C-alpha cells in the first residue's frame, strides 16, 4: 500500500483531480472517455478513479459510525453545470479487488457489505458540477486490524443523455484500521544515545520529517505498527528501518521493523522483522538496559515514541539503535 488518504488529503487530491481531468492529455485524447466536453456529449466519472487504489484509514475498535465522505465523488465533465438533476446509478464491483490482488500480489479481503452502508445512487443537482455520497461504517469492532478490506464501485447508468467516462467509471477503495500508535511521524536516530531525549548533533534526521510528509507507522494488528517507507531512506537511516536500498518508494521492505506495544501501559514490548527471513539474517530485540520511562514506550500525551533495540546480522557485532519518532499527524 503506497498512499494513505486523510480527509484533508482527499479534498486536496479531489481538487487536483477535478482540475486535471478537464485539461490533461488523457482527457483530451479520449483516455478518459470524453474527448471534448464542449463538442462531444458531456460525461460523468469518479474523481478518484484514475488511481488504481485509494486507501482510507478507519479508527479501529470504534463502536460508533464513521462516515467517509468525498470518496464516492462523481464529477460532471461538461462545459456548463447541470441544467437539471442528473441521477447516477452505482453497483458493487468486487472484480476490482480480485484484479488488484492478482496484479499486485496483495491479499485485500472483501469488505463484507453487511459491515458498511453506501447509497448506490448519486445525484448531481441542477446548477452543480459534482455529487457524492458518504460511505458509513457503523462499527469497526468486528474488523481485524491485521487485515485490509476492499470495496469496488462501478457506475452503471446515468440520466440526462450524459455518457460514462469509461476510464473513470470504476472506483476501488481499500479500508485499513488504525490503532492509537498509527500515524505519520518525524524520525531521528542515533547509535550512541538519546542525550536526554533531545535532538542532538549526532542525531540523523529523516529528511522528510515534516507535518505533511513523514514516515508512516501503519497498523499491523491491535497493538502493533509497521514501518512504511514511502519516500526512501538514505543508508544510515536504514539502520533504524533497515529496509531495502535507499531512494525510491519500496513499501515495507524485507526487514522493516514491527513495533509491538502493551496497550495498557504503552510500553514497547517487542521489535521484530515484519517479514522474518529476508536472506540477510537480521534479528531485532529490545535493548534490555532501557526500560520505561527511560525509553521503549509511547507517550500518550505527545504521541512520541522512544525505541531502543539491538540488531544482529550475520555474526557481526550487535548494533544498538535508538529512535525518536515524533508524531506529525494522522495518515
Amino acid at each position: 500500500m503506497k498512499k494513505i488518504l486523510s480527509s484533508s488529503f482527499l479534498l486536496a487530491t479531489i481538487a487536483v483531480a477535478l482540475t486535471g481531468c478537464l485539461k490533461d492529455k488523457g482527457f483530451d485524447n479520449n483516455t478518459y472517455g470524453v474527448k471534448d466536453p464542449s463538442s462531444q456529449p458531456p460525461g460523468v466519472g469518479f474523481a478518484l478513479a484514475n488511481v488504481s487504489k485509494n486507501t482510507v484509514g478507519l479508527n479501529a475498535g470504534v463502536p460508533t459510525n464513521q462516515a467517509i465522505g468525498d470518496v464516492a465523488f462523481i464529477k460532471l465533465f461538461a462545459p456548463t453545470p447541470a441544467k437539471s438533476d442528473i441521477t447516477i446509478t452505482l453497483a458493487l464491483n468486487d472484480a476490482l479487488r480480485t484484479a488488484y490482488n492478482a496484479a499486485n500480489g496483495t491479499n485485500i479481503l472483501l469488505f463484507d457489505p453487511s459491515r458498511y452502508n453506501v447509497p448506490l445512487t448519486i445525484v448531481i443537482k441542477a446548477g452543480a458540477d459534482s455529487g457524492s455520497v458518504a460511505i458509513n461504517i457503523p462499527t469497526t469492532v468486528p474488523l481485524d486490524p491485521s487485515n485490509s478490506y476492499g470495496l469496488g464501485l462501478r457506475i452503471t447508468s446515468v440520466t440526462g443523455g450524459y455518457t460514462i467516462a469509461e476510464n473513470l467509471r470504476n472506483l476501488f477503495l481499500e479500508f485499513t484500521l488504525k490503532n492509537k500508535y498509527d500515524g505519520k511521524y518525524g524520525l531521528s536516530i542515533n547509535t550512541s544515545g538519546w542525550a536526554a531525549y533531545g535532538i542532538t548533533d549526532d542525531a540523523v534526521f529523516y529528511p522528510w520529517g515534516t507535518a505533511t510528509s513523514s514516515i508512516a507507522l501503519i497498523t499491523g494488528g491491535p497493538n502493533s505498527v509497521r514501518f512504511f517507507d514511502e519516500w526512501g531512506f538514505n543508508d544510515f537511516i536504514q539502520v533504524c528501518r533497515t529496509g531495502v536500498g535507499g531512494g525510491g518508494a519500496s513499501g515495507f521492505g524485507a526487514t522493516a521493523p514491527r513495533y509491538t506495544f502493551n496497550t495498557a501501559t504503552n510500553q514497547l514490548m517487542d521489535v521484530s522483522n515484519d517479514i522474518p527471513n529476508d536472506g540477510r539474517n537480521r534479528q531485532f530485540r529490545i535493548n534490555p538496559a532501557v526500560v520505561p520511562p527511560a525509553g521503549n514506550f509511547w507517550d500518550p500525551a505527545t504521541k512520541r515514541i522512544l525505541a531502543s533495540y539491538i540488531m544482529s546480522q550475520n555474526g557481526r557485532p550487535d548494533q544498538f539503535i535508538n529512535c525518536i519518532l515524533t508524531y506529525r499527524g494522522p495518515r
Side-chain angles (χ1 to χ4, degrees), residues 68-142:
I68 309 300
D70 294 326
V71 180
F73 186 97
I74 288 181
K75 171 66 179 173
L76 173 65
F77 302 110
T80 60
K83 294 181 172 58
S84 59
D85 288 0
I86 303 167
T87 300
I88 298 100
T89 303
L90 311 178
L92 299 179
N93 183 11
D94 192 49
L96 300 176
R97 179 186 64 88
T98 56
Y100 185 90
N101 280 341
N104 295 276
T106 52
N107 187 33
I108 300 171
L109 303 182
L110 170 66
F111 200 173
D112 184 341
S114 68
R115 302 295 187 192
Y116 64 86
N117 175 266
V118 56
L120 295 178
T121 300
I122 294 178
V123 176
I124 299 178
K125 303 294 288 185
D129 63 3
S130 62
S132 66
V133 292
I135 301 172
N136 291 284
I137 296 89
T139 174
T140 57
V141 172

Side-chain angles (χ1 to χ4, degrees), residues 273-295:
N273 282 14
D274 192 40
I275 302 175
N277 182 15
D278 74 327
R280 286 173 283 184
N281 299 315
R282 282 177 174 161
Q283 303 279 333
F284 295 116
R285 65 186 187 277
I286 289 286
N287 184 350
V290 179
V291 297

Side-chain angles (χ1 to χ4, degrees), residues 65-297:
N65 187 70
Q66 296 180 57
I68 309 300
D70 294 326
V71 180
F73 186 97
I74 288 181
K75 171 66 179 173
L76 173 65
F77 302 110
T80 60
K83 294 181 172 58
S84 59
D85 288 0
I86 303 167
T87 300
I88 298 100
T89 303
L90 311 178
L92 299 179
N93 183 11
D94 192 49
L96 300 176
R97 179 186 64 88
T98 56
Y100 185 90
N101 280 341
N104 295 276
T106 52
N107 187 33
I108 300 171
L109 303 182
L110 170 66
F111 200 173
D112 184 341
S114 68
R115 302 295 187 192
Y116 64 86
N117 175 266
V118 56
L120 295 178
T121 300
I122 294 178
V123 176
I124 299 178
K125 303 294 288 185
D129 63 3
S130 62
S132 66
V133 292
I135 301 172
N136 291 284
I137 296 89
T139 174
T140 57
V141 172
L143 302 179
D144 184 349
S146 300
N147 297 323
S148 65
Y149 301 87
L151 166 61
L153 294 172
R154 180 176 177 83
I155 301 173
T156 58
S157 67
V158 57
T159 63
Y162 290 86
T163 62
I164 300 170
E166 192 60 34
N167 280 19
L168 296 176
R169 78 181 303 160
N170 292 307
L171 178 68
F172 179 49
L173 303 173
E174 177 194 36
F175 291 86
T176 62
L177 292 141
K178 302 184 292 184
N179 59 36
K180 61 184 178 181
Y181 313 108
D182 190 296
K184 290 183 178 180
Y185 289 78
L187 169 66
S188 65
I189 67 173
N190 61 62
T191 56
S192 59
W194 278 306
Y197 318 134
I199 303 301
T200 63
D201 290 341
D202 66 341
V204 177
F205 297 91
Y206 185 66
W208 295 276
T210 67
T212 57
S213 180
S214 305
I215 186 173
L217 296 186
I218 295 178
T219 297
N223 62 337
S224 66
V225 284
R226 302 184 289 180
F227 273 60
F228 182 69
D229 176 9
E230 180 179 357
W231 302 101
F233 286 74
N234 68 35
D235 290 339
F236 188 74
I237 287 177
Q238 285 188 67
V239 301
C240 188
R241 182 264 186 190
T242 62
V244 293
S250 58
F252 294 122
T255 56
R258 176 191 290 257
Y259 286 179
T260 300
F261 295 87
N262 179 322
T263 55
T265 65
N266 296 312
Q267 180 178 352
L268 180 61
M269 302 298 296
D270 184 52
V271 178
S272 59
N273 282 14
D274 192 40
I275 302 175
N277 182 15
D278 74 327
R280 286 173 283 184
N281 299 315
R282 282 177 174 161
Q283 303 279 333
F284 295 116
R285 65 186 187 277
I286 289 286
N287 184 350
V290 179
V291 297
N296 283 331
F297 75 104

